Amino acid sequence: MLDAIEYKRGPKGYDPLPLLYALVAMQLEKIQNIVKLVDRLKSDPVFRYNCGFNVLGSVPSTSTFSRFLNLISKSEALEEDFKQLILIKVSKVFFHPRLNEIW
């Protein structure tokens, strides 16, 4: 699902994985909206690098993030991946050896 779409003409676009990382970082850093996310990516090279973008390169526009959000919101693959991650996390919490000592 996150494979880069290749076009014969026009700009090549951004790798989808850093876009996804930036959206996750947006939630973790409590960044309120896409405009503020783009501003942070532009002004903070460490944040940009941690999201997977080139430190000296350009950052995606708000329109790019909007199109990407639209694309992934239509995908059931990410929803299934999310459910699997939750199940893994829940199983680690409930079946952690130290937790069993407490109960």
Side-chain angles (χ1 to χ4, degrees):
M1 199 262 85
L2 289 178
D3 295 335
I5 300 170
E6 295 199 22
Y7 298 101
K8 295 187 189 280
R9 300 176 191 213
K12 298 301 177 209
Y14 291 91
D15 183 355
L17 205 51
L19 292 171
L20 185 60
Y21 289 160
L23 293 173
V24 170
M26 177 182 168
Q27 297 303 310
L28 294 173
E29 293 286 318
K30 295 180 175 60
I31 298 171
Q32 297 172 348
N33 56 50
I34 298 295
V35 172
K36 290 183 180 182
L37 173 64
V38 171
D39 288 343
R40 174 83 184 268
L41 286 166
K42 286 179 180 178
S43 65
D44 186 346
V46 173
F47 184 71
R48 190 176 332 144
Y49 175 79
N50 287 335
C51 289
F53 296 108
N54 185 332
V55 175
L56 300 175
S58 62
V59 298
S61 67
T62 55
S63 297
T64 299
F65 277 109
S66 179
R67 285 190 299 271
F68 183 69
L69 275 170
N70 191 31
L71 177 71
I72 64 174
S73 68
K74 293 178 182 177
S75 169
E76 292 179 15
L78 282 181
E79 184 176 345
E80 286 303 313
D81 288 345
F82 180 73
K83 287 178 185 176
Q84 290 301 315
L85 285 172
I86 296 299
L87 289 174
I88 290 168
K89 184 65 175 174
V90 166
S91 68
K92 286 182 180 182
V93 168
F94 286 115
F95 300 109
H96 192 275
R98 299 272 303 149
L99 186 63
N100 291 336
E101 291 174 12
I102 296 169
W103 293 95

